[in-house]
Amino acid sequence: MFHHTHTSGPSVFVFGPFEFHPTQRVLRRAGKPLRIGSRAAEVLLALLESAGTLVKKRALIARVWPGISVEEGTLRVHIAALRKLLADGQNGPHYIENVTGIGYRFAALVTLGNETNGDASSGVTTVERAKLPVVLTRPIGHAQTQARLRCRLSSDRFVTIVGPGGVGKTTNAVATANRLQSSYAHGVCFVDLGSITDGARIAVVLAAALGIAIPAHNPMQKIMEFLDDKRLLILLDNCEHVVHDAALLAEQLLSESKVHVLATSREPLRARGEHVLRLEPLALPPIGPPMTAAQALGFSAIELFVDRTMACLNTFRFGDDDVATITCICRRLDGLPLAIELAAAHVEQFGLRGLAARLGDGLSLLGNRRRTATLRHQSLRATLDWSYNLLSRVEQLALHRLALF
């Protein structure tokens, strides 16, 4: 939730009534300087620079106390001091969010303006809109699904891509939105809901993605005023953990503006006007007589595994003798794109046959070597845990009992 204005000169972070000047380590409220310690200022700067993103405790400690052994309790003391200084949550917005046992996240909308002669003047109202994520790997499979999506969005204003974790909902949504950008006069706005834990903050995340500053009171009114004359596609990504609030938001966007909405979720939003497109796993070869490598590459699950293996291991060559093993691996992974990519990353370590043998060891094998992946996509276990944690206690208990069978 951090966006830049097109400004020059030294920068100033603006959030709520506060302005933080990083070069001077000065915090002001409504233009008046506040007393802030040097360590607390460094903690605040680290959080502001990564606004909306989780900053791990170890990373904060290493930055604020470089080369010094410091207990987590010391960090908590400075976080508490910052919260008190910002009046965090005291009949106002929450600024610093704690992710238990992991770290902290700056949760409010932050804009970046410029200092004028060291003054805190920066009336930032409009900032750069959130862009679509850059696709760094070649999308494989689901070309027909993306064509159907483009067709649906041209006739229906609200489509939700539904499917299990790791099936490629975001990948297909982003690929579709990229193709459709020129069809919307005001382009596409990407709204990542995966980083929030409280559905009540959904308006803040949307405003940040749109690049507009909003008041604490009735933020949706400001958002709808901004969207009044816009022809825009809004992509609401990862709705499942805030599904109720996402459904209400989608309905309001559709009823009070002309925007189109594309959502991704592990379950339908069940909102008015919603059209659901269920995403299926990648295609697998049928059980039958052996086939050649060329024939097997006609199935998207095999194509993805081979492509990602060659990206990790440049000496890998896919031959006819490998078809049965790779087909077995992809079938064991149910054609799930995320699981296939995670498995392909281990071919260099175990070899094809070693990998196939180890898939029976459980989910611990399927960890990701890409450190920049979101937490829920760094392993298959994390993906399943994300789904499990969305269940109520009664639903979790039912799942435990069904697992016996």
Side-chain angles (χ1 to χ4, degrees):
M1 291 186 297
F2 173 48
H3 300 273
H4 295 265
T5 55
H6 300 290
T7 58
S8 60
S11 298
V12 54
F13 295 94
V14 182
F15 54 97
F18 298 97
E19 294 166 338
F20 182 74
H21 300 249
T23 53
Q24 303 167 329
R25 300 297 197 270
V26 171
L27 177 66
R28 287 185 170 93
R29 180 187 175 102
K32 295 180 179 180
L34 302 174
R35 295 184 64 180
I36 181 171
S38 60
R39 301 289 192 188
E42 197 64 33
V43 172
L44 178 59
L45 177 58
L47 294 174
L48 288 171
E49 288 177 342
S50 302
T53 304
L54 177 67
V55 183
K56 294 184 178 180
K57 292 179 181 179
R58 289 183 181 178
L60 274 173
I61 291 172
R63 171 167 175 168
V64 180
W65 294 274
I68 303 174
S69 178
V70 172
E71 297 293 329
E72 288 185 6
T74 304
L75 175 61
R76 285 196 295 270
V77 168
H78 286 81
I79 291 289
L82 276 176
R83 283 175 167 155
K84 184 177 180 181
L85 192 62
L86 301 174
D88 193 340
Q90 298 175 22
N91 299 319
H94 287 280
Y95 291 108
I96 300 175
E97 184 178 87
N98 177 34
V99 180
T100 306
I102 302 176
Y104 300 92
R105 178 189 294 116
F106 199 87
L109 170 65
V110 178
T111 55
L112 185 62
N114 69 297
E115 298 179 3
T116 306
N117 298 324
D119 188 19
S121 170
S122 67
V124 179
T125 57
T126 304
V127 289
E128 187 179 341
R129 182 179 304 154
K131 294 181 174 65
L132 286 168
V134 177
V135 179
L136 299 177
T137 55
R138 180 171 68 93
I140 292 174
H142 294 309
Q144 291 183 343
T145 299
Q146 292 171 25
R148 285 172 57 201
L149 261 175
R150 294 195 297 272
C151 224
R152 275 281 188 90
L153 283 167
S154 65
S155 58
D156 304 316
R157 290 178 57 204
F158 177 23
V159 180
T160 301
I161 305 174
V162 172
V167 78
K169 298 182 293 296
T170 298
T171 298
N172 282 278
V174 170
T176 300
N178 264 314
R179 290 284 297 272
L180 288 175
Q181 281 198 84
S182 59
S183 303
Y184 294 89
H186 298 93
V188 177
C189 177
F190 180 79
V191 186
D192 182 10
L193 301 178
S195 64
I196 66 172
T197 55
D198 181 3
R201 292 186 52 249
I202 201 167
V204 175
V205 178
L206 174 59
L210 289 170
I212 58 174
I214 55 172
H217 176 67
N218 196 11
M220 282 306 298
Q221 180 179 346
K222 178 73 173 178
I223 291 173
M224 299 317 300
E225 288 174 0
F226 174 80
L227 292 174
D228 182 57
D229 61 345
K230 301 293 188 295
R231 191 167 186 278
L232 180 73
L233 173 63
I234 295 180
L235 200 174
L236 301 176
D237 193 37
N238 298 306
C239 295
E240 54 270 0
H241 61 304
V242 288
V243 66
H244 176 73
D245 296 278
L248 293 175
L249 174 64
E251 288 188 358
Q252 187 170 358
L253 289 172
L254 293 170
S255 62
E256 299 181 26
S257 74
K258 298 178 182 179
V259 303
H260 287 202
V261 176
L262 174 59
T264 71
S265 178
R266 297 189 186 183
E267 63 173 299
L269 271 59
R270 296 188 176 88
R272 287 194 304 272
E274 180 184 33
H275 296 263
V276 175
L277 191 151
R278 294 191 178 273
L279 198 59
E280 300 296 329
L282 297 177
L284 289 160
I287 297 175
M291 60 177 62
T292 65
Q295 290 172 325
L297 285 173
F299 297 89
S300 53
I302 307 300
E303 183 186 4
L304 178 65
F305 185 93
V306 171
D307 181 86
R308 299 303 189 256
T309 301
M310 293 180 72
C312 297
L313 184 62
N314 65 339
T315 58
F316 177 75
R317 296 293 179 268
F318 180 43
D320 294 348
D321 293 341
D322 302 319
V323 172
T325 305
I326 292 179
T327 299
C328 174
I329 291 171
C330 292
R331 187 169 284 120
R332 287 283 299 276
L333 300 175
D334 295 323
L336 200 65
L338 175 62
I340 290 172
E341 291 194 2
L342 293 173
H346 291 283
V347 172
E348 180 181 11
Q349 183 179 4
F350 299 116
L352 284 176
R353 285 153 188 79
L355 175 64
R358 284 172 172 80
L359 284 180
D361 294 343
L363 301 178
S364 57
L365 173 66
L366 297 181
N368 197 351
R369 293 182 177 180
R370 186 164 60 88
R371 296 179 178 88
T372 55
T374 57
L375 290 175
R376 65 184 178 280
H377 285 164
Q378 287 185 1
S379 70
L380 196 58
R381 180 180 295 279
T383 299
L384 295 177
D385 284 348
W386 172 269
S387 297
Y388 175 81
N389 290 331
L390 297 178
L391 300 175
S392 67
R393 291 297 302 163
V394 172
E395 290 169 329
Q396 290 176 354
L397 180 60
L399 184 61
H400 291 172
R401 291 174 176 173
L402 285 171
L404 294 173
F405 302 100

